[in-house]
Amino acid sequence: MIHFKLHSATCAGVLGWALSGALIYTPAVLAAAGSNTQSCPIAPPPLSLPAGGDASTLVADQANMANDIATAQGHVHLERNGQTLEAPYVRYNRKTSEAAAHGGLKYLRQGLYLTADKGNLNVDRDTGEFDNTHYSVLDSGVRGKADRFKSLGNNKYQLHDADYSTCPGPTKAWLLSARRFDIDRKTGRGVAHDATMKIYGVPVLYTPYISFPVDNQRHTGFMTPTIGASSNAGFELTTPYYINLAPNYDATLVPRLMTKRGFQLGGQLRYLTKHQYGEFDAQLLPYDLNYGAERDFEHFEHTGQLTPHIGIQARYTRVSDKSYFHDLSTNLVRTSKYQLDRSLELTAAQPGVKFSLLAQDFQILYPYYQGLGGRFDGRPYQRMPQATLNLLTPTAPFQAGLDAQFTNFRRSHSVGAYRTDLRPRLLWGTDHGAWYANSEVAYRITHYDLNHLQDASNDRFVHPNHSTINREIPSFKADAGLRFSRTLDNGWIQTLEPRMQYLLVSYQNQSNIPVFDSGSATLNYDQLFAGNRYSGIDRIGDANQITVGVSSRFISPSAGRTVARIGLGRVTSFRALRVNLPNSGVTGYGKRGSDYLAEGMFSPSDLFAARATVAYNPEKKRLDRAIAGATIGRNGGYQLDLGYRYYREYRPARTNISGQFETLSQAAIGIRAPIGSRVNVIGQWNYSFKDHQNIETLAGLEYRPSCCYAARLVWRHFVANDASNYKSTQRNAIMFQFVLRGLGRFGDKMSSFVHNDVFNNTPPALSAGHL
């Protein structure tokens, strides 16, 4: 046995560089994404990597050195710079840096193992050619062969008559073959010429040219196509094309074919700088076969920082017609939209000072809709503009503050107003850990200059008869609480936190004030301690009340997290509450205070979590609201989600008769479960007891017969609300996804139909300015 140590630095072999990542990629259908982690294991190679160091070692049965040429035969073993090469014959020219190996070589470097009949390479020029190569990418599961592999230098390579797959065995579930692959690792791009996709040896797809990424960078190319069908749009095929314009700019073109609607072209442009972010989305359907006209959609949003103390937010959305989302979207939230926001806001902030300037308009899709608390005018007021100033001194424990706002409310065929609101306040607070106390004295002054009083008759509930309205409301609030904790015998920590608040707000008749931005705030434990039971400024709830609440937590000593939490509380009023919203449903408050409210959470482990909220009306001795949910299991394995929600008289009835309200009562079940090692199933069911109908039914199946591919099928039957006539439309949709591990997936993600919350839509809440 002969043993050489070659100390020439040029022995850092191109063989390793040429193949070390040339085939570590996912092809064209995942152009904007990186490679997937694969699960098909590769048998450990028969070689081992060298321990390290710059020296190269050659071990052979026979070897000689003459005229700077080393020739080795027999069992030749070469190690150099983290690479190992074995062959029956190796010839290396130290002067020209050329090396040749034949007779069947084996090569290993970090993450890559290959065999070839022979190979020639130049170490200095990073060039070489290798014949009849079989390769395996150890960390991704990619494997394949190439009749000829060429290293062209500068990290550019060519593979002739090559293929690859992540499937083991001689008969592969899928295989991509191409006459030639051109790979440029510097740009991260690859191109396949005359490429054919084969499923179990049967050709199913051919393309003369296809571009794909070879690393995890963003690259221009086709993304995951979506294949599906729905009762509203027919068969659908969407093939997004991603364009990588710059590291902080990109765009996506989204062509979408719908057999019942026609061809739609969508697009998205995104940008990101150090202090700015924004995107523009647009869709154009030149002619809707069913609708009989052009349909289009535009959306723009921007968030940024102009200076260290000034920020900006902008949003603009427009559709060609009111039924656009109902006809062309499968998203349950979008199909229920009533208006689209257009706004521009500037915000300046310094310690103790905040000023914002807002201009806001809406595109109205439907003039009226039903919501929590009233049958509302679906035309929210424009704010042209709204200026808000907040001041607070840094002194402690006494502080002085001012909340000021001026708004110009405008809406066609409605009463408008210039509203000026000032709320100076004095605060005192202290916190000693075991106890705390806070108090506030405020005096609110509001002035309305009304206009277009001739349109007051269009408001069904509020009819002002004076052009000016003045309102002065003083208030006082005192809040205090205790924090107890104890360690139980088993090491667990229990806290007990009683809290009490007294609130006094002067009463003033506000029934003649139009509702521009007020609504009913959702009643929860924290809201019990708020200073106003309404949102907005047009309704300031009168109060002479005390709020008593207590919460408790159980903290695990091992996990250090809250395992259980409960909160109980109620507002008790010393006089009858008089301020109300017109045509209001159940808001959680009666004449003598609020409902009794209880909230709880219990999660003893990662495999179980339960939560519940109950609101009990003591005056009418009934439940006004109940929400409960539980999750059993974990993601990736068995998981069961259960949910129920009940809202009494949560919105006016779908009639023009005042005083008639609807009650919501729904249950939902969601399940994910593996069946054996090859099948996963999902299901979701949401049922309305009041409407006696299914809100949503979903069933999905994932089949994984191999570690290198999977098939997914999802069917969904759901209700889409048609706000134009207050009716519900039953719809069906089906989506198919075929996943080739290591190549990409064809079809939409199953997660686009499955929601983490079994209640994936929220009952409409009382929005601002919709009375």
Side-chain angles (χ1 to χ4, degrees):
M1 178 178 291
I2 308 298
H3 180 274
F4 285 99
K5 286 190 176 180
L6 306 179
H7 297 280
S8 172
T10 60
C11 284
V14 158
L15 180 62
W17 300 340
L19 295 179
S20 63
L23 293 172
I24 304 178
Y25 58 81
T26 55
V29 291
L30 287 180
S35 58
N36 294 339
T37 301
Q38 310 311 325
S39 57
C40 293
I42 293 177
L47 303 181
S48 59
L49 294 175
D54 296 333
S56 299
T57 301
L58 177 67
V59 179
D61 292 341
Q62 298 179 6
N64 61 74
M65 175 77 74
N67 298 324
D68 288 328
I69 296 177
T71 302
Q73 299 180 5
H75 297 287
V76 183
H77 182 91
L78 176 64
E79 295 182 356
R80 56 191 188 200
N81 296 335
Q83 305 162 71
T84 301
L85 173 68
E86 286 188 355
Y89 177 88
V90 175
R91 186 176 184 270
Y92 177 67
N93 188 325
R94 298 183 61 184
K95 186 175 182 179
T96 64
S97 299
E98 294 178 347
H102 60 75
L105 63 88
K106 301 176 183 178
Y107 172 78
L108 176 67
R109 65 161 299 148
Q110 186 66 43
L112 177 75
Y113 172 70
L114 63 85
T115 63
D117 287 350
K118 59 180 180 179
N120 296 281
L121 60 149
N122 187 292
V123 175
D124 289 341
R125 298 178 181 176
D126 292 348
T127 60
E129 295 186 9
F130 308 91
D131 294 340
N132 195 19
T133 302
H134 290 74
Y135 64 89
S136 300
V137 182
L138 304 178
D139 53 356
S140 67
V142 173
R143 63 204 84 193
K145 64 180 181 179
D147 284 356
R148 173 159 292 191
F149 178 89
K150 292 183 179 180
S151 174
L152 307 178
N154 295 322
N155 283 325
K156 296 181 180 180
Y157 313 103
Q158 277 188 0
L159 284 74
H160 294 263
D161 296 323
D163 59 48
Y164 79 91
S165 176
T166 59
C167 300
T171 303
K172 301 188 182 301
W174 68 266
L175 183 74
L176 183 68
S177 300
R179 177 178 57 84
R180 192 182 85 212
F181 289 96
D182 295 321
I183 298 174
D184 188 339
R185 295 209 59 189
K186 187 175 181 180
T187 63
R189 298 302 303 164
V191 174
H193 303 267
D194 294 333
T196 302
M197 170 61 66
K198 299 178 181 178
I199 303 296
Y200 285 107
V202 178
V204 296
L205 179 66
Y206 168 80
T207 178
Y209 177 91
I210 191 169
S211 177
F212 54 89
V214 300
D215 53 30
N216 290 330
Q217 302 179 50
R218 298 179 302 144
H219 299 289
T220 298
F222 283 101
M223 298 174 66
T224 304
T226 298
I227 303 171
S230 66
S231 56
N232 196 46
F235 174 80
E236 295 187 40
L237 174 63
T238 305
T239 56
Y241 187 80
Y242 179 82
I243 305 173
N244 184 30
L245 301 173
N248 60 327
Y249 296 88
D250 64 9
T252 306
L253 295 177
V254 187
R256 178 187 182 191
L257 178 64
M258 298 170 285
T259 57
K260 290 186 178 181
R261 298 287 178 176
F263 178 78
Q264 179 188 71
L265 180 62
Q268 180 189 73
L269 175 66
R270 301 187 300 176
Y271 57 89
L272 176 67
T273 65
K274 185 177 181 180
H275 301 293
Q276 311 288 332
Y277 165 78
E279 69 174 65
F280 174 75
D281 300 273
Q283 297 171 359
L284 174 63
L285 182 60
Y287 185 80
D288 190 323
L289 299 176
N290 193 3
Y291 187 79
E294 176 187 309
R295 320 285 296 276
D296 59 83
F297 159 79
E298 297 88 37
H299 172 76
F300 169 75
E301 62 180 82
H302 174 88
T303 302
Q305 188 176 359
L306 302 180
T307 72
H309 301 289
I310 300 178
I312 182 173
Q313 282 189 324
R315 177 182 293 269
Y316 176 87
T317 307
R318 174 197 168 274
V319 292
S320 57
D321 56 90
K322 65 180 182 180
S323 300
Y324 186 89
F325 294 124
H326 182 265
D327 293 342
L328 298 175
S329 177
T330 59
N331 185 290
L332 194 59
V333 175
R334 277 192 168 181
T335 57
S336 303
K337 279 187 174 291
Y338 295 88
Q339 65 271 328
L340 304 176
D341 180 26
R342 294 99 172 263
S343 60
L344 175 64
E345 184 175 19
L346 295 173
T347 302
Q350 289 273 17
V353 181
K354 181 180 179 182
F355 175 77
S356 65
L357 186 63
L358 170 69
Q360 186 177 43
D361 189 11
F362 299 88
Q363 180 185 2
I364 308 304
L365 301 185
Y366 301 105
Y368 296 95
Y369 76 94
Q370 309 288 346
L372 178 64
R375 183 178 188 272
F376 304 111
D377 190 327
R379 303 174 300 133
Y381 277 94
Q382 301 173 341
R383 304 169 193 242
M384 294 293 183
Q386 176 175 285
T388 304
L389 175 65
N390 303 106
L391 302 174
L392 185 65
T393 62
T395 57
F398 293 96
Q399 292 179 288
L402 173 67
D403 298 328
Q405 187 179 93
F406 170 81
T407 309
N408 176 18
F409 291 106
R410 300 191 309 189
R411 187 171 71 186
S412 61
H413 306 294
S414 297
V415 175
Y418 296 101
R419 187 185 70 190
T420 304
D421 183 75
L422 299 175
R423 186 174 180 266
R425 55 198 180 112
L426 294 175
L427 303 94
W428 174 85
T430 184
D431 193 330
H432 293 272
W435 66 274
Y436 62 91
N438 303 285
S439 63
E440 178 188 78
V441 177
Y443 195 87
R444 183 182 294 274
I445 305 171
T446 311
H447 175 75
Y448 292 84
D449 283 318
L450 303 181
N451 49 63
H452 301 289
L453 286 179
Q454 69 274 13
D455 294 321
S457 59
N458 295 329
D459 193 319
R460 300 175 59 209
F461 306 108
V462 181
H463 304 287
N465 50 20
H466 296 286
S467 60
T468 61
I469 300 176
N470 293 299
R471 184 186 65 185
E472 298 181 13
I473 302 178
S475 64
F476 170 75
K477 180 171 66 172
D479 185 17
L482 302 173
R483 302 186 183 102
F484 298 104
S485 67
R486 64 171 181 170
T487 302
L488 305 179
D489 293 340
N490 56 6
W492 284 61
I493 298 175
Q494 181 190 6
T495 67
L496 185 66
E497 301 174 48
R499 182 181 178 184
M500 179 180 294
Q501 175 184 279
Y502 175 73
L503 178 65
L504 177 64
V505 180
S506 175
Y507 166 77
Q508 186 169 126
N509 186 355
Q510 302 165 56
S511 60
N512 63 332
I513 300 177
V515 179
F516 298 107
D517 66 354
S518 281
S520 294
T522 300
L523 187 63
N524 53 45
Y525 185 78
D526 292 332
Q527 180 63 29
L528 291 174
F529 297 90
N532 186 16
R533 59 181 179 272
Y534 300 108
S535 62
I537 297 175
D538 299 315
R539 291 295 184 272
I540 303 300
D542 57 315
N544 182 8
Q545 64 190 41
I546 187 168
T547 303
V548 177
V550 60
S551 62
S552 180
R553 294 177 295 143
F554 289 86
I555 303 172
S556 168
S558 58
R561 65 180 183 89
T562 299
V563 171
R565 182 179 63 250
I566 188 172
L568 303 171
R570 190 205 178 213
V571 174
T572 301
S573 180
F574 299 114
R575 67 187 180 198
L577 302 178
R578 301 169 65 184
V579 177
N580 288 297
L581 281 170
N583 199 32
S584 178
V586 172
T587 62
Y589 283 86
K591 290 293 184 181
R592 292 295 179 179
S594 74
D595 292 348
Y596 285 101
L597 190 80
E599 292 183 344
M601 182 277 294
F602 179 59
S603 179
S605 73
D606 294 336
L607 298 178
F608 180 82
R611 56 218 166 266
T613 300
V614 175
Y616 177 77
N617 189 326
E619 297 179 11
K620 297 185 179 181
K621 295 181 173 54
R622 69 184 189 186
L623 284 179
D624 279 346
R625 184 160 60 100
I627 305 172
T631 298
I632 305 170
R634 60 160 58 101
N635 290 327
Y638 293 96
Q639 181 172 325
L640 176 65
D641 296 297
L642 304 173
Y644 176 77
R645 61 183 178 182
Y646 174 83
Y647 292 83
R648 181 184 296 277
E649 298 180 2
Y650 82 107
R651 68 179 184 185
R654 302 184 183 189
T655 66
N656 290 323
I657 303 175
S658 300
Q660 294 185 0
F661 300 92
E662 292 183 356
T663 296
L664 179 140
S665 178
Q666 291 182 356
I669 299 175
I671 186 172
R672 305 168 188 245
I675 301 177
S677 60
R678 296 186 175 185
V679 178
N680 278 341
V681 296
I682 62 171
Q684 192 163 292
W685 176 67
N686 188 341
Y687 183 79
S688 172
F689 295 104
K690 290 296 182 180
D691 295 330
H692 303 289
Q693 69 173 2
N694 291 330
I695 303 300
E696 181 181 38
T697 303
L698 180 144
L701 178 71
E702 180 185 56
Y703 178 55
R704 303 186 311 274
S706 169
C707 59
C708 63
Y709 77 97
R712 297 168 180 166
L713 183 67
V714 176
W715 169 79
R716 182 183 179 210
H717 177 80
F718 63 102
V719 173
N721 294 325
D722 187 350
S724 61
N725 54 18
Y726 311 119
K727 293 183 179 179
S728 299
T729 303
Q730 300 284 336
R731 288 189 183 179
N732 293 286
I734 188 169
M735 283 292 172
F736 175 73
Q737 182 183 60
F738 188 55
V739 181
L740 304 181
R741 300 185 183 274
L743 181 65
R745 48 180 168 266
F746 297 88
D748 201 7
K749 294 182 179 180
M750 184 178 294
S751 60
S752 65
F753 283 102
V754 182
H755 310 274
N756 292 328
D757 186 355
V758 290
F759 290 121
N760 54 72
N761 65 315
T762 301
L766 176 56
S767 302
H770 292 163
L771 283 177

